[in-house]
Amino acid sequence: MHAPVPKQNDPDSHEALLAVLQSAPPVQRVKSRPMPGARSLGGRASGYALVILLMAALLVSVAVAGLMLGSVHIPGGTAIAILANLALGDNLVDPYWRTVHETIIIQTRMPRVVLAALVGASLGVTGMTIQSIVRNPLAGPSILGVSSGAATGAVVVMRWGLLGFGVFTLHISAFLGGLVTLFAVFWVARTGGHMTPTRLVLAGVAMSAILSALTSLIVLTSPDPQLASRVLFWTLGGFGTAQWKLIPVPLAALALGLGVMLVQARRLNLLMAGDESAVALGLDVQRFRQTMFVLAAALTGITVAVAGVIGFVGLIMPHIVRFLVGADHRRSLPAVALLGASFAIGADLVARTVIAPLELPVGIVTALVGGPFFIWLLRRDARGLGGAR
Amino acid sequence: MNRFAGFCAIAAAGLFIISTSAFADEAGFPYTDENCGVTTVYAAPPARAVTLSNNATELMLALGLEERMAGTSYMANLKISPQYEEAYNQVPVLSPLVATTEQLIEVEADFVYAGYPDGFSESRHTRDQLHDLGMKTRLNTEGCNLGKFGFDELYDEIRSMAAIFGVRERGEALIADITERLSSVEEKLEGVEPMPVFIFNGGESAPRAVLGNTMLSHVVSRAGGENIFGEVANRYGQVSWEQIAERMPEYIVVYYSGTAGGQVVGDPAGELGKGRIEILKTNPSVKGVPGIAGERFVTIDSVWGQPGPSSIDAVEKLARAFHPGRMGE
């Protein structure tokens, strides 16, 4: 049943432990069946390169599909010509199309696809990191309450018109809302001077419930007629307001966040082996967990600020990726970024085409795809998770 | 040389005359529009306007601006008022719901006008986003107003729109017409006891009411009625069947739009209008309510219920229903 454990020639070596972890699920300490990621397909280096290549190809295909489809029909050939013109210039590709079609593709669809990719990638890597630091495969960015907190922050500012940062006011307030929630969750989880993964998750769940109720209360009691229609965006997410000027912040955040996570990948691997083992190998578990938690929460806050709360991406992408490339964070983090980006673009594509001209909030699509997967995971790992602390 | 100078002088004079005459045509520009916290400067009247709601569409058509419109949207399956039908048919319908950003770009809109607050939002397009795409915007002030909204506020809306399009005299004419019809109703209703009215906005397990801060609540009062939830300083909200039973409305105004849950409804008058009357008639909690027991229902759809040129038609329709003797029927 368990993943094959390679021979450990040098028991003290981190590398030997990592070799175990590569093929071991994060809840291995709990006596249970391995998680879906136990036996990876891309275990060897060449296999990994192939998986990454395929994921990159998938990302490019959904991105192109995202640029070609929308509420205004632009012929596929024209769309491709516009893209080619953008890449190669007027000399090679003669602009024969209406300029409005170019505007639609370059000013609305392209930032939308890019934003979806950035948000999906961010949610994927945050989800993977959070699942490691709380050692719970059912954890995700929204479980920490940060998503709800960010949404509440935005709604509070919309309701009472606080702060004055111009067009970025809502984004900043959403981020601050997420940050405040983070500290509240920390405070709850730390009672007793110690912060356990279980407490973090429970504190996050409780905080999410309170904040969601608070958001609804603010909306229902507000005399502001604009609020109700605006709030839907924050609670169910969407990429419809994507603009180029919104791109730099989430792009920088993803680059920075993913960079730090990759640098810390080995430590994340250690954490998955359990606190005792990690401490034995010289890791300050408490401190490392808090640092990574803040990083994950900050990244989540930024995604909510630009695209609202989009559930399940950060929950299910890590599982698929672990199944494909194994649990070693040095391999899985880049992969989950690629897959998360493709998934978010794909979900957005479904959201805006399935009942066109109506657009679904993208959170509905991700939940409808992710929810059943979550349930499957629960059923599959029922015994093991029941035993998790 | 002299001839050239002379030619220049004549040309300059000609240009001057042309420009002043053009200026005379478009007096009042540049016009600065202050609307719901957004300041917009109009150097000239917009030429390719798109409306994002039915009352916005009717207001523009009432000002005779159909030639300056590139599209309308969000009529769902409701009907435009007959007097605007011919003009309405000259303008392309972009979408039964709120036109998307892409559709606005496609028709090269230079002005986007919403009559409901949901026209501009993060889930579709914000005003800021449209400004960046070169489109000016306006929201009917009922959509951002935090207090009561009535005909005075509607006149302000008409004046602002007329100013944006450089047709102030048409705006004044429209206002004069509405004012005259309103005072005629007022005369006929002089001294009547206000009819207690519940404005029902659907809902089975719990009823949704149209509250005090709406145009429709004001319309009911101008028609000789009194919204039983008029003192609640909000637009729409959930109330309880008990409260309706306790407040004993004599008349029920059944309000509906062309959509339910964000989806276009096939036959709004039947599914929503008649459907909502059925809900009231079959609910045991409100059986004893005079307006329901006596089946005194009157329907108003969102074309007439939202602030616009048809608000006066709504006043007349409701006045005839509430006080048939006074209105000569």
Side-chain angles (χ1 to χ4, degrees):
Chain A
M1 260 329 230
H2 280 278
V5 175
K7 264 186 263 171
Q8 285 172 260
N9 297 328
D10 176 7
D12 289 328
S13 150
H14 288 202
E15 292 304 313
L17 182 67
L18 285 174
V20 180
L21 288 169
Q22 254 172 44
S23 54
V27 286
Q28 212 207 3
R29 281 174 72 251
V30 179
K31 293 285 166 265
S32 72
R33 300 191 303 157
M35 284 177 41
R39 234 165 294 123
S40 66
L41 301 177
R44 281 168 303 143
S46 61
Y48 178 70
L50 183 67
V51 169
I52 289 292
L53 207 64
L54 286 174
M55 281 181 176
L58 176 70
L59 179 57
V60 171
S61 338
V62 287
V64 170
L67 293 174
M68 289 172 71
L69 295 171
S71 50
V72 165
H73 174 72
I74 299 176
T78 310
I80 289 169
I82 290 171
L83 292 177
N85 172 271
L86 185 69
L88 306 170
D90 280 356
N91 293 336
L92 288 169
V93 185
D94 200 30
Y96 62 85
W97 48 84
R98 293 176 57 199
T99 47
V100 289
H101 285 166
E102 192 175 321
T103 308
I104 288 173
I105 289 190
I106 294 170
Q107 296 300 330
T108 68
R109 289 185 194 171
M110 206 179 273
R112 186 171 181 155
V113 164
V114 171
L115 186 69
L118 291 175
V119 166
S122 298
L123 289 172
V125 298
T126 349
M128 180 147 269
T129 304
I130 289 172
Q131 288 179 6
S132 304
I133 55 180
V134 305
R135 277 209 321 282
N136 188 332
L138 296 186
S142 46
I143 215 153
L144 296 176
V146 176
S147 301
S148 317
T152 309
V155 173
V156 165
V157 168
M158 279 192 258
R159 167 73 174 80
W160 286 284
L162 311 167
L163 301 175
F165 296 114
V167 290
F168 294 111
T169 301
L170 285 181
H171 303 104
I172 292 168
S173 57
F175 181 71
L176 291 178
L179 214 61
V180 169
T181 313
L182 171 75
F183 288 118
V185 169
F186 261 15
W187 177 74
V188 175
R190 274 179 68 96
T191 11
H194 217 66
M195 195 166 63
T196 67
T198 315
R199 254 204 189 135
L200 269 180
V201 171
L202 290 178
V205 168
M207 207 58 85
S208 294
I210 295 168
L211 289 168
S212 302
L214 199 61
T215 303
S216 301
L217 180 74
I218 292 170
V219 173
L220 288 173
T221 55
S222 165
D224 181 356
Q226 288 171 286
L227 199 57
S229 56
R230 300 179 67 191
V231 161
L232 194 64
F233 166 80
W234 297 93
T235 51
L236 286 170
F239 303 114
T241 42
Q243 287 175 270
W244 283 116
K245 67 182 180 193
L246 284 183
I247 299 294
V249 173
L251 178 66
L254 175 65
L256 200 71
L258 183 58
V260 172
M261 286 170 191
L262 280 172
V263 168
Q264 302 291 344
R266 286 169 181 234
R267 291 177 162 187
L268 283 170
N269 289 346
L270 288 183
L271 209 54
M272 279 166 40
D275 285 11
E276 292 87 346
S277 322
V279 169
L281 288 163
L283 180 64
D284 182 350
V285 170
Q286 284 292 320
R287 201 166 154 186
F288 179 67
R289 182 171 280 141
Q290 277 181 29
T291 315
M292 295 311 282
F293 191 42
V294 171
L295 180 70
L299 205 48
T300 307
I302 287 169
T303 65
V304 177
V306 291
V309 178
I310 299 170
F312 290 99
V313 181
L315 177 67
I316 60 174
M317 289 304 119
H319 289 278
I320 298 172
V321 164
R322 268 188 227 107
F323 177 72
L324 292 173
V325 305
D328 181 352
H329 285 87
R330 290 171 299 180
R331 287 158 164 256
S332 62
L333 282 171
V336 83
L338 283 175
L339 198 67
S342 304
F343 182 68
I345 298 172
D348 183 46
L349 208 52
V350 172
R352 60 190 156 120
T353 49
V354 72
I355 51 163
L358 221 66
E359 276 189 16
L360 289 170
V362 73
I364 290 181
V365 180
T366 56
L368 281 181
V369 177
F373 185 85
F374 186 93
I375 290 168
W376 173 76
L377 204 67
L378 266 174
R379 300 277 310 163
R380 190 185 145 95
D381 286 331
R383 270 186 305 157
L385 294 168
R389 279 193 300 155
Chain B
M1 196 62 180
N2 262 346
R3 279 174 69 182
F4 179 68
F7 172 76
C8 283
I10 292 166
L15 272 176
F16 182 71
I17 291 163
I18 291 165
S19 63
T20 46
S21 66
F23 195 72
D25 271 348
E26 301 190 352
F29 288 94
Y31 170 72
T32 304
D33 183 47
E34 298 280 350
N35 169 241
C36 298
V38 178
T39 306
T40 314
V41 179
Y42 294 85
R48 301 193 59 78
V50 174
T51 52
L52 301 183
S53 73
N54 45 35
N55 58 326
T57 304
E58 285 204 340
L59 182 50
M60 287 203 67
L61 297 178
L63 291 171
L65 295 170
E66 60 272 12
E67 273 161 20
R68 297 198 166 272
M69 294 171 76
T72 67
S73 68
Y74 212 3
M75 182 58 83
N77 280 326
L78 296 175
K79 294 263 178 300
I80 192 100
S81 302
Q83 65 268 36
Y84 308 123
E85 203 178 327
E86 203 191 321
Y88 180 71
N89 290 336
Q90 295 170 27
V91 185
V93 176
L94 303 185
S95 168
L97 293 151
V98 174
T100 64
T101 318
E102 292 190 5
Q103 287 166 335
L104 294 174
I105 298 172
E106 159 117 276
V107 298
E108 296 173 64
D110 60 357
F111 175 76
V112 182
Y113 179 39
Y116 306 151
D118 63 356
F120 303 118
S121 74
E122 274 79 2
S123 44
R124 292 193 180 88
H125 29 60
T126 59
R127 296 181 71 170
D128 174 58
Q129 192 179 357
L130 295 180
H131 291 180
D132 283 357
L133 289 165
M135 304 171 200
K136 294 182 163 66
T137 60
R138 185 173 167 89
L139 172 64
N140 186 314
T141 51
E142 198 215 28
C144 62
N145 185 51
L146 298 180
K148 298 271 180 203
F149 194 97
F151 276 96
D152 287 341
E153 286 74 19
L154 175 62
Y155 298 156
D156 288 343
E157 182 66 27
I158 293 171
R159 286 198 178 98
S160 297
M161 283 297 289
I164 288 171
F165 284 89
V167 291
R168 289 167 195 256
E169 67 296 338
R170 291 189 212 168
E172 293 309 321
L174 178 62
I175 291 168
D177 177 53
I178 295 173
T179 315
E180 196 190 312
R181 287 167 69 184
L182 203 55
S183 39
S184 153
V185 172
E186 207 155 78
E187 252 168 53
K188 290 176 185 159
L189 294 182
E190 206 182 334
V192 293
E193 187 69 20
M195 177 83 73
V197 172
F198 170 51
I199 316 175
F200 183 47
N201 189 26
E204 291 204 47
S205 55
R208 292 189 301 271
V210 175
L211 306 172
N213 285 1
T214 53
M215 184 68 190
L216 187 52
S217 190
H218 179 80
V219 161
V220 162
S221 66
R222 298 301 282 260
E226 186 181 12
N227 182 358
I228 58 169
F229 293 107
E231 87 283 359
V232 184
N234 210 324
R235 287 176 26 111
Y236 304 95
Q238 195 164 298
V239 293
S240 71
W241 294 113
E242 282 175 29
Q243 281 179 301
I244 296 164
E246 193 206 317
R247 295 182 190 209
M248 300 286 269
E250 289 286 336
Y251 231 104
I252 313 293
V253 171
V254 174
Y255 175 67
Y256 61 91
S257 71
T259 59
Q263 293 274 20
V264 174
V265 172
D267 168 25
E271 286 171 56
L272 299 177
K274 290 199 184 103
R276 286 177 181 179
I277 291 175
E278 274 315 297
I279 292 173
L280 293 174
K281 279 159 72 172
T282 51
N283 189 307
S285 322
V286 288
K287 261 209 175 94
V289 169
I292 296 170
E295 302 202 12
R296 286 190 291 276
F297 300 106
V298 55
T299 56
I300 291 282
D301 69 21
S302 63
V303 182
W304 283 20
Q306 292 295 323
S310 292
S311 295
I312 182 63
D313 297 271
V315 170
E316 288 169 353
K317 179 179 180 178
L318 294 181
R320 281 196 297 271
F322 299 160
H323 306 286
R326 292 298 193 99
M327 294 299 288
E329 273 167 45

